[in-house]
Amino acid sequence: MKKIVLGIDIGGTNTVCGLVEKSGNILFKEQIPTFGHESADSLVNRLAEKVDFFSEDHPEIELEGIGVGAPNGNHYNGVIQDPPNLSWGHVDMVSLLREKFNCDVSLTNDANAAALGEKYFGIAKDMNDFIMITLGTGLGSGIFSGGNMIYGHDSMAGEIGHLSIDHNGRNCPCGLKGCLEMYASAKGIKETVIELLKINPGNDFLSSIELDFVDGKMFDRAVDDGVESAISVYEFTAEKLAYGLAQAAMILSPEAFIFYGGFSLAGDRLFNPTRKAFESYLMKNLKGRISILQSGLPPGQAGILGAASLIWHPTLNRIN
Amino acid sequence: MKKIVLGIDIGGTNTVCGLVEKSGNILFKEQIPTFGHESADSLVNRLAEKVDFFSEDHPEIELEGIGVGAPNGNHYNGVIQDPPNLSWGHVDMVSLLREKFNCDVSLTNDANAAALGEKYFGIAKDMNDFIMITLGTGLGSGIFSGGNMIYGHDSMAGEIGHLSIDHNGRNCPCGLKGCLEMYASAKGIKETVIELLKINPGNDFLSSIELDFVDGKMFDRAVDDGVESAISVYEFTAEKLAYGLAQAAMILSPEAFIFYGGFSLAGDRLFNPTRKAFESYLMKNLKGRISILQSGLPPGQAGILGAASLIWHPTLNRIN
């Protein structure tokens, strides 16, 4: 028999699932719509169908367990707590999956899953202290320190996206002001573009941006073409991001920040100005010691690999 | 034989040493001047004399090891790195003490030592996730997360005193702007008083403060007497402190912040306004879940107890 783990990465729109060997080899991977307006049971049933379908042709596989990454996934109690963009309220996802599949199940939040993916299958393999930053619609983070995932007393740690970088800054839907993700993420870039358009309403590039679907690739192309307003947006974003990262660095002194997600594909267009500003915001004894890196994991894989590693590499700290 | 550990708490002015049993019972405790202008060898020799003197009358004790807390003490390599207020540069304190005493020696920084003291002998005994804040001349911090001390990749983690709470804030001697300790510490209160005196030069209470020796007890008495300018200083300090703590809370989600050191003796005079502002700066899912507490350890003991616990409770993560 070939032991495999089902890794599930639940997102607001789509859910990716994959059958993952201990080596990180993915035997099978598929994306299905999450349908957040339907019940969580519906998603669980559709996932079970996918696994059954694959198993029919592969009698040699044996399901060792299921790992799940989800927004607001609580590692300690197995509950997805009132996830944004999903109408589920509180869902005990670990119990639901355990009943359906009758196997070991473990849950964490989506950014923590990405960090686990990087730790066990990516460039953080040899790092004990690093911070994974997922740059997409929002800014998520998963923290390893001393070789352990940082969960805090209630599994709520790692909210670097809600570090306030300005006491009187932009309003965040979370109710706070100046949250880092209101500057460094698709949401944040949208706000920056709106502010710049007020000052410069005739700007061709800025006017052409579809604000509800800010597209990193469009920015990247514009930056490569030397479009000044695009470069300004990245420089402003980098400056804010750097200030936020520096605060996290002062607390955790990681070896590296590792970026994943749509906007991380900007690469050095965004990271070079970030590195420069980041150094200026660090204490002397931290300067030049912390790397800002881009994940090498393929888009869409960090989540399922990391979710699977909840089973392949269970931690001593697990309570559920 | 009675096994004991020598706990040493090195400060800018004085060094406290104590012979500590595993239970936390302190057999002997003494304070000697650090004499930071002399060599570190001189301090080591004077400490050895104290231990010899005590041992002569107590042939039953057996030195199990030595734990040291010191400003800029690096747990990983045993070096005190260019400590402020001491003219030592880099000193390999672990090697110095090992040669002199021929026993196991371990070093950490002073705030981490206080956190260890609280974990093993104070109110954090049953906590896996808490942040110790030492409020004195500056603001130090030691972090436990998931039951482990957070050191970061180079033992430099835990610099909450240098979180920047204002991009354009007060200049800190560390070279950064807006560091939390420039607001919430004796140094910070001095700056606040100077700023208030510019607006209100005739204020009796503020004018009476000796700026280079800001005295917490004097403030406490004035607050108890209803002196408005003293209350304002504490409220301003609490507001800034709360904002900084909230940022650390978002990253680490601790069960509690525990305060130690001279200014922590203000107690609820300072902590009540801090709690109120702190809650307002937290994300919804963290509100009401994190306590702000005062250490119950006697002044001057957390450091030596914590230093001793480096030997009594060695961690798996120790590299040196």
Side-chain angles (χ1 to χ4, degrees), chain A residues 129 145 148 150 152-154 157-159 162-164 167 176 239 243 247 250-254 281-282 289, chain B residues 129 145 148 150 152-154 157-159 162-164 166-167 176 239 243 247 250-254 281-282 289:
Chain A
D129 301 86
S145 185
N148 301 304
I150 296 299
H153 83 292
D154 54 2
E159 291 290 357
H162 294 278
L163 274 186
S164 172
H167 197 280
L176 302 178
E239 165 72 21
Y243 184 73
Q247 308 318 311
M250 236 85 81
I251 296 181
L252 294 160
S253 190
Y281 290 129
L282 289 178
R289 302 174 67 94
Chain B
D129 301 87
S145 185
N148 301 304
I150 296 299
H153 83 292
D154 55 2
E159 291 291 357
H162 294 278
L163 274 186
S164 172
D166 181 355
H167 197 281
L176 301 177
E239 165 73 21
Y243 184 72
Q247 309 317 312
M250 237 84 82
I251 296 181
L252 294 160
S253 190
Y281 290 130
L282 289 178
R289 302 174 67 95

Side-chain angles (χ1 to χ4, degrees), chain B:
Chain B
M1 297 294 277
K2 189 182 270 185
K3 292 189 174 179
I4 50 96
V5 166
L6 175 61
I8 304 173
D9 180 11
I10 300 177
T13 309
N14 292 308
T15 291
V16 182
C17 63
L19 295 174
V20 182
E21 293 184 280
K22 192 165 187 180
S23 65
N25 182 39
I26 299 172
L27 292 181
F28 163 84
K29 176 170 163 263
E30 192 154 339
Q31 179 173 300
I32 61 176
T34 303
F35 291 148
H37 55 284
E38 294 184 2
S39 70
D41 283 292
S42 146
L43 177 63
V44 168
N45 289 333
R46 286 182 290 121
L47 286 166
E49 281 167 23
K50 293 289 169 197
V51 173
D52 288 345
F53 186 75
F54 183 82
S55 305
E56 277 168 21
D57 292 340
H58 297 83
E60 78 283 9
I61 66 164
E62 187 186 340
L63 190 64
E64 182 78 7
I66 300 174
V68 188
N72 291 9
N74 187 314
H75 183 56
Y76 288 169
N77 62 18
V79 173
I80 303 180
Q81 299 175 322
D82 206 9
N85 308 321
L86 300 171
S87 65
W88 295 350
H90 280 46
V91 172
D92 185 345
M93 184 54 79
V94 165
S95 296
L96 276 183
L97 287 165
R98 230 179 237 152
E99 271 170 40
K100 189 79 187 176
F101 288 87
N102 197 23
C103 67
D104 193 13
V105 182
S106 184
L107 171 77
T108 196
N109 84 30
D110 43 4
N112 289 345
L116 287 162
E118 204 66 47
K119 171 70 185 163
Y120 291 107
F121 307 109
I123 56 171
K125 263 183 197 161
D126 298 322
M127 295 185 195
N128 284 319
D129 301 87
F130 72 94
I131 300 178
M132 186 85 173
I133 303 280
T134 58
L135 271 192
T137 310
L139 185 155
S141 66
I143 301 167
F144 263 84
S145 185
N148 301 304
M149 174 71 79
I150 296 299
Y151 282 110
H153 83 292
D154 55 2
S155 187
M156 292 295 168
E159 291 291 357
I160 292 177
H162 294 278
L163 274 186
S164 172
I165 59 165
D166 181 355
H167 197 281
N168 295 307
R170 294 175 181 170
N171 289 315
C172 181
C174 81
L176 301 177
K177 274 177 185 286
C179 292
L180 181 58
E181 85 170 10
M182 292 309 291
Y183 299 85
S185 71
K187 269 192 229 179
I189 288 176
K190 173 184 168 180
E191 296 299 318
T192 302
V193 171
I194 291 171
E195 283 180 13
L196 288 174
L197 276 171
K198 279 184 194 155
I199 303 164
N200 192 356
N203 183 285
D204 283 345
F205 173 71
L206 297 174
S207 308
S208 73
I209 295 167
E210 205 175 340
L211 288 171
D212 284 328
F213 302 94
V214 173
D215 175 9
K217 286 195 200 81
M218 179 185 165
F219 269 91
D220 295 348
R221 279 192 302 269
V223 168
D224 292 344
D225 292 346
V227 175
E228 273 189 34
S229 53
I231 295 170
S232 305
V233 170
Y234 269 11
E235 280 178 350
F236 178 84
T237 304
E239 165 73 21
K240 299 298 182 186
L241 178 58
Y243 184 72
L245 298 185
Q247 309 317 312
M250 237 84 82
I251 296 181
L252 294 160
S253 190
E255 185 173 347
F257 289 91
I258 304 175
F259 283 84
Y260 190 74
F263 268 95
S264 75
L265 302 175
D268 287 344
R269 298 176 190 92
L270 184 60
F271 297 142
N272 278 341
T274 302
R275 287 182 186 107
K276 195 174 160 200
F278 177 65
E279 289 294 327
S280 76
Y281 290 130
L282 289 178
M283 289 179 71
K284 198 178 66 176
N285 56 8
L286 293 175
K287 282 185 200 293
R289 302 174 67 95
I290 304 173
S291 308
I292 290 179
L293 306 172
Q294 194 172 357
S295 168
L297 291 172
Q301 289 198 10
I304 53 171
L305 287 172
S309 62
L310 286 168
I311 301 298
W312 287 126
H313 303 277
T315 61
L316 295 173
N317 292 330
R318 265 177 66 200
I319 292 174
N320 67 6

Side-chain angles (χ1 to χ4, degrees), chain A residues 160-178:
Chain A
I160 292 178
H162 294 278
L163 274 186
S164 172
I165 60 166
D166 180 354
H167 197 280
N168 295 307
R170 294 176 180 170
N171 289 316
C172 181
C174 82
L176 302 178
K177 275 175 184 287

Side-chain angles (χ1 to χ4, degrees), chain A residues 43-270:
Chain A
L43 176 63
V44 168
N45 289 333
R46 286 181 291 123
L47 287 166
E49 280 168 23
K50 294 290 170 196
V51 173
D52 288 345
F53 187 76
F54 182 82
S55 304
E56 278 168 21
D57 292 340
H58 296 84
E60 78 282 8
I61 66 165
E62 187 187 340
L63 189 64
E64 182 78 6
I66 300 173
V68 188
N72 291 11
N74 186 314
H75 183 55
Y76 289 169
N77 62 18
V79 173
I80 303 181
Q81 298 175 321
D82 206 8
N85 308 321
L86 300 172
S87 64
W88 295 349
H90 281 47
V91 173
D92 184 345
M93 184 54 80
V94 164
S95 296
L96 275 184
L97 287 164
R98 229 179 238 154
E99 271 170 42
K100 188 78 186 177
F101 288 88
N102 197 23
C103 67
D104 193 13
V105 181
S106 184
L107 170 78
T108 195
N109 84 29
D110 43 3
N112 288 346
L116 286 161
E118 204 67 46
K119 171 69 185 162
Y120 291 108
F121 306 110
I123 56 172
K125 264 183 196 160
D126 299 322
M127 295 184 194
N128 284 320
D129 301 86
F130 71 95
I131 299 178
M132 186 85 172
I133 303 281
T134 58
L135 270 191
T137 310
L139 186 156
S141 65
I143 301 167
F144 263 84
S145 185
N148 301 304
M149 175 70 79
I150 296 299
Y151 282 110
H153 83 292
D154 54 2
S155 186
M156 292 296 169
E159 291 290 357
I160 292 178
H162 294 278
L163 274 186
S164 172
I165 60 166
D166 180 354
H167 197 280
N168 295 307
R170 294 176 180 170
N171 289 316
C172 181
C174 82
L176 302 178
K177 275 175 184 287
C179 292
L180 181 57
E181 85 169 10
M182 292 309 291
Y183 299 85
S185 71
K187 268 192 229 177
I189 288 177
K190 173 184 168 178
E191 296 299 317
T192 302
V193 170
I194 291 171
E195 284 180 11
L196 288 174
L197 276 172
K198 279 184 195 155
I199 303 165
N200 192 356
N203 185 285
D204 283 345
F205 172 73
L206 297 175
S207 308
S208 73
I209 295 167
E210 204 175 340
L211 288 171
D212 284 328
F213 301 94
V214 174
D215 175 9
K217 288 196 199 80
M218 178 185 166
F219 269 90
D220 294 348
R221 279 192 303 270
V223 167
D224 292 344
D225 291 346
V227 176
E228 273 191 33
S229 53
I231 295 170
S232 306
V233 170
Y234 269 12
E235 281 179 349
F236 178 84
T237 305
E239 165 72 21
K240 300 298 182 186
L241 178 58
Y243 184 73
L245 298 184
Q247 308 318 311
M250 236 85 81
I251 296 181
L252 294 160
S253 190
E255 185 173 346
F257 288 91
I258 304 175
F259 283 83
Y260 189 75
F263 269 95
S264 74
L265 301 175
D268 286 344
R269 298 177 190 92
L270 184 59

